[in-house]
């Protein structure tokens, strides 16, 4: 036994794997393990302190980011349908804007389309209604004209308010004219000319005795005035269609608050 111990010690000394540089490869030193664990603890404590010192709003935003990304990557069916219809509306409106400028395909007819749009403007209709009201001598005529004047004023105010809320621009960058600024018709949605034409045509069809050809011409005039605004590049197709709807609703509103002959006579006497 005493002789075997020196032999085993000699073998351990002669073994290459027992050297310090090779022992570090197989068995990490305790000092390194302790230093690594202490650095991990310090980094963990620093991260926890940073998380505690961070703003709660930032933590909420960081938590909401994955959900927002999921919402953007997976839009709803309604959002897809709405964006698709909006893109179709813009594309079709640009294609139908054949008189948007002089270089367009129908640029030579731009002046005629502008003249057609003037026939549906509010200022000429208000001025003409006032002239007819001054020259009218019958109570029935004055009653109809006073309610027509009320309908025109309501149309201007309602359309201007809706346009200020929507603030939608037209398909082409076209500056509004002087008459448009006077009636505050500076945005695209809804189309003021379309709403006014629809309201006037419905008003005349209900309160004037017209022959069938005149009735057909009146409806065609309202349609031409509305879609001339698309051809001139001022409005989208949906702006004109919504203008027709709002014009009909304005007519129903005027019918609901219709002023009687006595009320009209009182207002005329004050005026």
């Amino acid at each position: 036994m005493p002789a075997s111990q020196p032999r085993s010690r000699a073998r351990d000394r002669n073994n290459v794997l027992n050297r310090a540089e090779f022992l570090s490869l197989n068995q990490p030193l305790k000092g390194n393990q302790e230093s690594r664990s202490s650095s991990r603890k310090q980094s963990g404590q620093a991260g926890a302190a940073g998380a505690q010192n961070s703003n709660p709003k930032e933590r909420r935003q960081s938590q909401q980011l994955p959900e927002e990304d999921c919402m953007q990557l997976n839009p709803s069916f309604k959002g897809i349908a709405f964006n698709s219809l909006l893109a179709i509306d813009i594309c079709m409106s640009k294609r139908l804007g054949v008189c948007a400028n002089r270089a367009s395909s129908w640029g030579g007819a731009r002046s005629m389309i502008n003249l057609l749009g003037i026939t549906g403007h509010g200022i000429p209709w208000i001025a003409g209604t006032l002239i007819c009201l001054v020259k009218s001598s019958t109570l029935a005529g004055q009653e109809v004209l006073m309610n027509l004047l009320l309908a025109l004023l309501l149309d201007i105010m309602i359309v201007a308010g809706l346009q200020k809320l929507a603030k939608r621009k037209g398909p082409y960058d076209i500056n509004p004219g002087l008459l448009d600024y006077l009636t505050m018709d500076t945005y695209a949605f809804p189309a003021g000319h379309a709403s006014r034409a629809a309201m006037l045509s419905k008003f005349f069809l209900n309160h004037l005795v017209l022959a069938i050809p005149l009735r057909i011409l009146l409806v065609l005039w309202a349609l031409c005035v509305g879609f001339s605004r698309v051809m001139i590049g001022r409005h989208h197709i949906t702006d004109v269609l919504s203008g027709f709807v709002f014009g009909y609703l304005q007519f129903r509103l005027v019918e609901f608050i219709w002023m009687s002959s006595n009320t009209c006579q009182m207002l005329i006497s004050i005026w």
Side-chain angles (χ1 to χ4, degrees), residues 2-269:
S4 62
Q5 291 179 357
R7 290 177 183 176
S8 62
R9 292 175 182 174
R11 289 174 186 171
D12 293 337
R13 286 195 299 269
N14 293 328
N15 191 1
V16 180
L17 297 176
N18 289 330
R19 294 181 182 179
E21 56 270 19
F22 292 102
L23 285 173
S24 62
L25 296 176
N26 296 326
Q27 297 178 358
L29 297 176
K30 294 181 179 180
N32 293 334
Q33 291 179 352
E34 292 177 354
S35 62
R36 289 176 185 174
S37 62
S38 62
S39 63
R40 290 175 183 174
K41 289 180 180 178
Q42 290 177 358
S43 63
Q45 292 176 357
Q52 292 177 357
N53 294 329
S54 63
N55 195 353
K57 293 183 179 179
E58 295 178 356
R59 283 184 289 176
R60 292 174 186 172
Q61 291 177 357
S62 63
Q63 292 175 358
Q64 292 176 357
L65 281 176
E67 297 179 0
E68 292 176 356
D69 294 339
C70 293
M71 291 295 292
Q72 292 177 359
L73 294 175
N74 299 311
S76 62
F77 175 77
K78 293 182 180 179
I80 295 174
F82 177 76
N83 291 330
S84 300
L85 292 175
L86 187 63
I88 293 172
D89 178 35
I90 294 172
C91 180
M92 293 299 295
S93 301
K94 284 184 175 292
R95 288 189 176 185
L96 292 176
V98 293
C99 301
N101 47 57
R102 293 292 181 184
S104 301
S105 58
W106 289 17
R110 182 178 172 83
S111 57
M112 184 178 66
I113 300 299
N114 280 326
L115 182 61
L116 181 61
I118 291 175
T119 61
H121 206 281
I123 297 299
W125 277 100
I126 291 175
T129 304
L130 289 174
I131 293 172
C132 293
L133 186 61
V134 170
K135 293 185 177 181
S136 178
S137 59
T138 62
L139 297 179
Q142 291 176 355
E143 179 182 352
V144 172
L145 289 171
M146 282 295 296
N147 284 279
L148 177 61
L149 182 61
L150 174 64
L152 291 169
L153 295 176
L154 284 176
D155 175 75
I156 290 175
M157 291 187 292
I158 291 173
V159 170
L162 291 173
Q163 287 186 358
K164 290 295 182 182
L165 289 176
K167 291 185 178 181
R168 187 187 187 188
K169 295 183 178 180
Y172 291 91
D173 190 10
I174 298 176
N175 295 324
L178 178 61
L179 295 178
D180 296 327
Y181 281 111
L182 291 176
T183 56
M184 296 174 288
D185 189 8
T186 55
Y187 291 99
F189 180 87
H193 289 67
S195 68
R196 195 170 302 111
M199 185 268 296
L200 288 172
S201 61
K202 185 63 177 174
F203 188 92
F204 290 148
L205 289 174
N206 273 43
H207 297 285
L208 294 181
V209 179
L210 300 174
I212 293 178
L214 291 177
R215 287 176 172 269
I216 295 173
L217 288 176
L218 190 60
V219 174
L220 290 176
W221 167 77
L223 294 175
C224 291
V225 168
F227 284 102
S228 69
R229 308 304 290 171
V230 180
M231 296 174 64
I232 209 69
R234 281 278 284 118
H235 297 278
H236 300 86
I237 298 175
T238 52
D239 300 333
V240 173
L241 294 178
S242 62
F244 288 150
V245 174
F246 282 115
Y248 177 77
L249 295 177
Q250 290 166 9
F251 165 75
R252 300 300 301 176
L253 177 61
V254 172
E255 290 291 311
F256 181 74
I257 60 173
W258 184 268
M259 294 185 295
S260 62
S261 178
N262 294 330
T263 306
C264 294
Q265 292 300 315
M266 183 183 65
L267 293 175
I268 292 172
S269 62

